[in-house]
Amino acid sequence: MPRPPRRRGTSDGATAMAPAGAQALSTLPGVGPKVAEKFAVRGLLSVQDLWLHLPLRYEDRTRITPIASLFPGQSAQVEARVEAVERSFRYRPTLRVAISDGSRGTLVLRFFHFNRAQLALLVPGRRILCFGEARPGQYGLEMVHPSYRLLGDDADVGVRDRLDPVYPAVEGLGPQSLSRLIGEALDRLPPADELELLPEGLRDRLKLPTLRDALLTAHRPPPDTNLRDFELGVHPALRRLAIEELLAHHLSLRRQRISLRAHGAMPVRPAGKLAASLRRGLKFELTGAQQRVLAEVAQDMAHPEPMLRLVQGDVGSGKTVVAALAAANAVEAGRQVALMAPTELLAEQHLANFRGWFEPLGLRVAWLAGKVTGKARTAVLAEIASGQAQVVVGTHALMQDKVVFSSLALAIVDEQHRFGVHQRLALRDKGLSGSQVPHQLVMTATPIPRTLAMSAYADLDVSVIDEMPPGRTPVQTVAISGDRRGEVVDRIRAACAQGRQAYWVCTLIEDSEEVEAQAAQSTFEQLGLLLPGLRLGLLHGRMKSLEKQSVMADFKAGQLQLLVATTVIEVGVDVPNASLMIIENAERLGLAQLHQLRGRVGRGAAASSCVLMYRAPLSQMARERLEVMRASTDGFLIAEKDLELRGPGELLGTRQTGLASFRVADLARDAALLPEVHAAADALLAQAPDLADRLVLRWVGGAAKFAGA
Ligand code: ADP
Ligand code: MG
């Protein structure tokens, strides 16, 4: 076991007592309140945050490359003399400086911004040292805006003895100041044994360098470092950092779970009458998987510790009704239930379902979203506070401070991957009465491979609904080149002629809701011309929510036959009569998203199909993805393939998950390390909880504090 840190003897009061890493950035020379603020925007608060601010890439100034041996795309340092200087103003001010180094080569340095002082110094015959990327130019190779330095005739070139790090930018701070400050921070690295938090056994087993060595190698690699290993993330220094980071995140989630479980919760043990009435009203029987999961949930809720359960189930597996039955139990016990969904569209559907199920039983289901304002809002808040509203359905709006429950016993969060852990925890705090917190039920349709789930959801127990309701025929999937649009349009015509409905999904061309909405609009117009006599609807994120609601209602009621939409329909839209899904530019989407979209069809008894339209030529990767979709409808299998094909950075990507975003680690690349990480977490929690605390503080820091762990 590593020793606890020795206090370092410095003279400046309170911070002197803090270990070097925990010292505030303002203890570094040249960091005043203004600079500290710039770092803070980037989440960099302490000296150790700078240790962990790793370079994006490196520049090799450890050698001089002869101009004659430069190749296009190479970043290199060149030592030469100025041959000729030329200014032109033709299109924009340009300065071209030809240099040569006696290696039979000439290189042009091109500047678009330059000042007089520069001009005065750049004269033929001057000795110059420059660094940049060689690119093919008009007259051979050139470097655009290289960094350079003029040298005296006898001056020593002074090649570096290690690679220069290039750091991710901190806005408002020049790269040189940033490098200098990180250098200062690194100079404060304590001796290896003081810094070390990983158990020795783990380090030995995996042959990991010490943290000190790993950090110094990552920030100041020696000239012979294999940069390719760095790029691939397999360099031992990076592996060491990644493992420690994964361990810290895992510990953070585990500790959140432990501390949350330490709070009490209201045990919910109703006779089950309300749930039984609800079940009698359903038009179907629960599947075996639904019954099993419901029993798991009911058992959790009967305990005086809060339930922390994730229900995973493929799209269409019927998670909503399980949530509703759990809600019925809480209400029968005299308590309130909150159901939060990530989008208004999805929340509205839940509202419609819950009202349909609960209102006939005499319960009050309230609605709270951002757009509920003024008097209506005041009224809803009052109903929630008095307990008159037994069930409250809504969006993020539920988490605002003004929302106070009278006795919240169950918080249900749908599509967890759209919310961050912190948001989920904020809802938990709504239940605090004395020290009690509500039971939490989280539902997600994102099937996550088991190894990853253990890491991503280390704070939750997991139930899986692994059976589809009966009477569904699997969706037939085909991939078709966009050239055959005409055939696709014929298919829509045929499906609608049989009384079925269809979706046409326009995918993101740029990462902009605006552009996406435009694309959907023009597709809507084109299809209107191609399909005269069909009733078309349009749905995109730019529409007012009332408009969206009415379009959805019309589609659901069968008034509209074809719904042209953006990917806003990805989550939760449920229209069983829709049996055809067209996805345009399917090659642009990841497997998880394609699977979600396809899940909108195949919800009724009719045979459904999904057409993946692509624009040729397909990349190898895109071809494989479409083939996976064609061959399988099993969400878990698709998730495994997704992981293989492109890595969970995207599978659990920040856009979708809000889950941990890592500084060094990459769950796909490092998945093989996870069993070690989990075992190490068990050992640390049992034997050295103080080390666990310090690991979490080092890597997760403020975020974990915010989560109230
Ligand atoms: P998801 O798990 O994707 O949220 P939903 O809860 O929206 O799925 O359910 C999908 C559809 O299946 C809904 O129309 C729902 O009423 C229906 N459903 C749920 N459970 C069953 C069942 N056991 N038998 C038949 N239909 C069911
Ligand atoms: Mg759902």
Side-chain angles (χ1 to χ4, degrees):
M1 278 292 137
R3 279 179 271 145
R6 266 175 268 133
R7 303 298 184 205
R8 309 189 86 206
T10 56
S11 55
D12 60 338
T15 54
M17 295 310 292
Q23 289 168 7
L25 284 183
S26 55
T27 63
L28 291 173
V31 180
K34 280 210 176 118
V35 173
E37 180 53 37
K38 287 173 184 151
F39 278 118
V41 170
R42 263 294 211 144
L44 304 170
L45 306 174
S46 66
V47 166
Q48 118 189 316
D49 288 335
L50 289 196
W51 298 342
L52 304 177
H53 193 68
L54 297 186
L56 282 175
R57 55 189 174 82
Y58 303 91
E59 289 179 352
D60 186 354
R61 290 191 179 79
T62 65
R63 69 195 98 209
I64 303 283
T65 306
I67 292 176
S69 68
L70 280 178
F71 56 85
Q74 183 185 14
S75 290
Q77 177 167 252
V78 169
E79 186 213 341
R81 284 195 188 266
V82 175
E83 291 268 299
V85 179
E86 183 189 283
R87 287 164 75 185
S88 93
F89 293 93
R90 214 150 16 126
Y91 301 106
R92 54 199 280 205
T94 303
L95 176 66
R96 299 196 312 142
V97 179
I99 61 173
S100 70
D101 64 355
S103 69
R104 282 191 320 160
T106 300
L107 178 70
V108 173
L109 313 181
R110 188 190 287 272
F111 300 88
F112 300 111
H113 311 280
F114 48 94
N115 56 35
R116 256 189 223 169
Q118 271 174 303
L119 276 176
L121 290 169
L122 283 167
V123 291
R126 283 302 298 259
R127 212 173 144 217
I128 185 170
L129 182 69
C130 63
F131 184 94
E133 187 192 330
R135 298 189 205 162
Q138 231 171 330
Y139 315 99
L141 290 178
E142 61 179 40
M143 287 182 180
V144 178
H145 277 272
S147 60
Y148 73 91
R149 187 154 63 87
L150 293 169
L151 298 172
D153 282 349
D154 307 319
D156 187 16
V157 167
V159 291
R160 304 279 161 85
D161 55 2
R162 56 198 182 210
L163 305 178
D164 289 341
V166 179
Y167 290 104
V170 170
E171 208 179 307
L173 209 63
Q176 280 173 0
S177 319
L178 180 59
S179 288
R180 182 183 66 76
L181 290 170
I182 292 175
E184 298 266 2
L186 289 171
D187 291 343
R188 293 196 190 175
L189 272 176
D193 58 340
E194 268 183 35
L195 193 63
E196 198 54 51
L197 295 178
L198 285 193
E200 222 169 281
L202 179 72
R203 263 199 301 141
D204 287 349
R205 219 169 24 256
L206 300 180
K207 301 199 173 47
L208 301 174
T210 64
L211 179 61
R212 189 186 151 87
D213 284 347
L215 286 173
L216 288 175
T217 307
H219 285 281
R220 301 168 171 171
D224 56 353
T225 304
N226 183 342
L227 286 182
R228 182 106 182 102
D229 282 357
F230 264 100
E231 273 163 37
L232 296 175
V234 296
H235 193 283
L238 283 191
R239 239 166 60 96
R240 150 77 215 218
L241 296 171
I243 286 178
E244 185 170 326
E245 181 173 37
L246 288 169
L247 179 59
H249 275 269
H250 188 70
L251 285 168
S252 158
L253 288 174
R254 293 268 296 268
R255 282 195 341 179
Q256 266 170 36
R257 178 187 169 85
I258 292 167
S259 77
L260 200 60
R261 297 277 288 185
H263 289 280
M266 171 57 60
V268 171
R269 299 177 188 134
K273 286 192 187 136
L274 198 56
S277 322
L278 201 160
R279 273 176 81 160
R280 273 196 301 278
L282 294 176
K283 295 186 203 83
F284 49 77
E285 294 291 323
L286 295 186
T287 61
Q290 283 171 318
Q291 288 178 36
R292 189 192 70 239
V293 171
L294 186 62
E296 286 165 359
V297 169
Q299 196 176 25
D300 282 357
M301 286 174 63
H303 286 285
E305 298 97 44
M307 165 172 75
L308 295 165
R309 188 166 288 278
L310 175 78
V311 173
Q312 259 189 24
D314 216 337
V315 278
S317 62
K319 295 180 289 289
T320 319
V321 72
V322 172
L325 290 163
N329 285 337
V331 172
E332 184 175 333
R335 301 272 156 165
Q336 285 172 299
V337 177
L339 167 56
M340 179 169 80
T343 67
E344 220 167 82
L345 195 61
L346 186 51
E348 272 160 4
Q349 289 207 35
H350 283 317
L351 179 70
N353 280 327
F354 272 47
R355 284 199 166 146
W357 287 325
F358 285 120
E359 285 181 350
L361 304 176
L363 304 191
R364 172 87 186 109
V365 181
W367 167 244
L368 188 65
K371 68 176 183 214
V372 179
T373 52
K375 275 192 192 143
R377 187 177 203 86
T378 313
V380 176
L381 291 179
E383 271 184 74
I384 298 173
S386 70
Q388 202 188 342
Q390 287 129 319
V391 180
V392 186
V393 178
T395 57
H396 303 83
L398 284 177
M399 294 183 300
Q400 285 158 356
D401 287 344
K402 292 249 171 68
V403 185
V404 180
F405 287 83
S406 133
S407 62
L408 181 64
L410 174 63
I412 304 168
V413 179
D414 195 13
E415 298 298 344
Q416 140 85 2
H417 63 295
R418 297 271 171 138
F419 289 109
V421 168
H422 305 315
Q423 284 167 301
R424 188 157 56 70
L425 291 171
L427 190 54
R428 155 203 88 184
D429 290 336
K430 295 289 175 197
L432 286 173
S433 60
S435 68
Q436 287 190 346
V437 298
H439 297 286
Q440 284 184 47
L441 183 64
V442 177
M443 301 189 284
T444 179
T446 309
I448 292 183
R450 225 181 60 84
T451 39
L452 295 194
M454 270 182 75
S455 245
Y457 298 127
D459 56 336
L460 299 168
D461 297 307
V462 178
S463 295
V464 183
I465 304 186
D466 51 6
E467 181 188 349
M468 282 289 174
R472 304 220 176 133
T473 37
V475 180
Q476 289 288 336
T477 302
V478 291
I480 287 186
S481 159
D483 307 339
R484 293 161 62 191
R485 212 179 168 92
E487 289 169 45
V488 177
V489 170
D490 291 342
R491 272 179 101 129
I492 297 176
R493 199 179 286 115
C496 293
Q498 287 169 22
R500 319 236 58 106
Q501 289 164 279
Y503 296 98
W504 182 294
V505 181
C506 306
T507 58
L508 209 60
I509 297 168
E510 278 172 42
D511 201 5
S512 138
E513 215 176 51
E514 173 89 54
V515 176
E516 195 185 34
Q518 280 167 10
Q521 174 75 42
S522 67
T523 305
F524 170 73
E525 284 160 15
Q526 283 167 16
L527 288 173
L529 295 175
L530 292 171
L531 292 163
L534 277 199
R535 297 183 303 275
L536 275 66
L538 174 64
L539 191 73
H540 60 69
R542 285 262 147 164
M543 284 162 55
K544 296 226 169 63
S545 91
L546 265 181
E547 284 177 89
K548 278 193 267 186
Q549 248 175 301
S550 91
V551 170
M552 265 330 288
D554 288 350
F555 189 63
K556 206 159 184 164
Q559 312 278 23
L560 295 172
Q561 294 162 289
L562 173 64
L563 186 62
V564 179
T566 60
T567 49
V568 295
I569 64 151
E570 180 185 334
V571 180
V573 169
D574 182 32
V575 180
N577 189 48
S579 65
L580 177 59
M581 158 79 50
I582 317 290
I583 304 176
E584 225 180 337
N585 300 316
E587 78 280 5
R588 290 206 191 109
L589 300 184
L591 282 173
Q593 206 177 5
L594 287 172
H595 181 66
Q596 283 287 329
L597 284 169
R598 183 172 58 183
R600 301 306 112 217
V601 294
R603 303 187 146 234
S608 296
S609 47
C610 174
V611 178
L612 304 173
M613 273 208 299
Y614 60 84
R615 191 177 300 179
L618 282 178
S619 69
Q620 179 61 25
M621 179 87 86
R623 188 182 306 278
E624 282 182 48
R625 281 213 289 260
L626 296 185
E627 177 50 30
V628 170
M629 288 301 293
R630 215 189 48 70
S632 175
T633 53
D634 176 340
F636 277 90
L637 192 138
I638 290 173
E640 298 277 0
K641 289 286 178 196
D642 204 15
L643 186 59
E644 264 170 49
L645 286 178
R646 60 173 205 161
E650 289 168 89
L651 177 73
L652 304 173
T654 35
R655 184 180 83 84
Q656 290 210 1
T657 60
L659 282 173
S661 56
F662 296 104
R663 307 184 208 216
V664 191
D666 174 328
L667 280 175
R669 189 187 69 204
D670 305 326
L673 300 172
L674 289 174
E676 279 283 359
V677 166
H678 299 157
D682 289 340
L684 277 178
L685 286 171
Q687 292 153 25
D690 56 317
L691 288 187
D693 286 353
R694 285 165 54 201
L695 271 170
V696 172
L697 203 62
R698 176 181 285 168
W699 287 92
V700 191
K705 258 181 268 154
F706 170 67

